[in-house]
């Protein structure tokens, strides 16, 4: 019974594999499965690429988070409420939603700075991080209506027992 198998991996690289550690009746099936996989070198290279991508994504998120927090401080946005993870995401979403709306409505449309201040004040009343996360894909043109439609649950109350 043969124990050394010539395998051509899905990436096109050939390899000899010693399959003597497998039961004789399972070698052919395992060799067939191996042929559908990338070779070890290509698999490692792909994993390194994924790690590089994950590190890049983590650095990009940290950069976006820092920019969003600086923006929130600069424009006196109130802190958001929710879990630690939701608050971080909500801060980024609020920044993105309001920045996109400002660009679309003030810079590219006919909304005046005075009208924008009113929109910004309404946005300050929404402190639930989940609300901003839910609105992250909304159209900038819909922001005023969304802010008006926000329920009291999204706004803070002076009574902590309410």
């Amino acid at each position: 019974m043969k124990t050394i198998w010539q395998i051509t991996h899905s990436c096109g690289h050939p390899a000899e594999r010693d399959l003597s550690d497998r039961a004789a009746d399972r070698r052919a099936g395992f060799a067939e499965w191996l042929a559908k996989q990338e070779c070890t070198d290509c698999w490692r290279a792909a994993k390194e690429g994924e790690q590089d991508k994950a590190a890049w994504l983590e650095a990009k998120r940290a950069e976006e988070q820092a920019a969003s927090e600086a923006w929130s401080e600069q424009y006196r946005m109130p802190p958001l409420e929710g879990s630690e993870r939701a608050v971080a995401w909500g801060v980024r979403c609020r920044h993105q939603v309001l920045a996109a709306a400002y660009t679309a409505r003030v810079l590219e449309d006919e909304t005046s700075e005075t009208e924008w201040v009113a929109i910004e004040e309404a946005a300050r009343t929404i402190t639930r991080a989940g609300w901003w996360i839910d609105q992250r894909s909304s159209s900038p043109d819909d922001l005023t209506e969304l802010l008006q439609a926000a329920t009291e649950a999204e706004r803070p109350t002076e009574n902590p027992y309410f």
Side-chain angles (χ1 to χ4, degrees):
M1 188 80 195
K2 104 177 174 180
T3 58
I4 307 293
W5 291 72
Q6 185 66 33
I7 312 248
T8 302
H9 291 280
S10 63
C11 59
H13 295 118
E16 277 191 3
R17 291 289 304 258
D18 181 1
L19 302 182
S20 61
D21 60 337
R22 304 226 172 248
D25 62 337
R26 295 185 178 199
R27 291 180 191 154
F30 186 66
E32 189 177 311
W33 178 81
L34 283 173
K36 294 177 184 174
Q37 310 305 312
E38 293 179 326
C39 71
T40 304
D41 292 338
C42 290
W43 180 83
R44 281 191 181 126
K47 285 294 175 194
E48 287 174 10
E50 287 176 16
Q51 289 172 348
D52 290 346
K53 183 178 179 181
W56 175 83
L57 186 58
E58 187 176 332
K60 178 106 172 110
R61 283 248 167 83
E63 183 181 308
E64 287 175 355
Q65 190 68 36
S68 295
E69 288 172 2
W71 175 88
S72 292
E73 191 173 312
Q74 178 183 354
Y75 290 98
R76 302 176 336 275
M77 290 293 162
L80 297 180
E81 300 164 354
S83 69
E84 184 178 334
R85 188 172 172 193
V87 166
W89 191 14
V91 167
R92 286 195 317 270
C93 291
R94 176 174 63 186
H95 176 219
Q96 292 165 351
V97 167
L98 290 175
Y102 182 82
T103 300
R105 300 191 65 184
V106 177
L107 300 180
E108 297 172 359
D109 200 14
E110 296 179 11
T111 302
S112 71
E113 286 289 338
T114 307
E115 292 170 317
W116 177 255
V117 169
I119 293 169
E120 200 173 70
E121 285 303 318
R124 282 190 181 89
T125 67
I126 310 293
T127 58
R128 191 175 69 81
W131 190 88
W132 290 103
I133 294 167
D134 291 344
Q135 309 315 316
R136 70 187 181 277
S137 299
S138 62
S139 168
D141 295 329
D142 296 338
L143 182 61
T144 304
E145 187 176 344
L146 292 169
L147 290 168
Q148 290 170 352
T151 65
E152 292 303 314
E154 280 81 23
R155 294 181 168 87
T157 177
E158 290 181 24
N159 182 353
Y161 303 104
F162 178 63

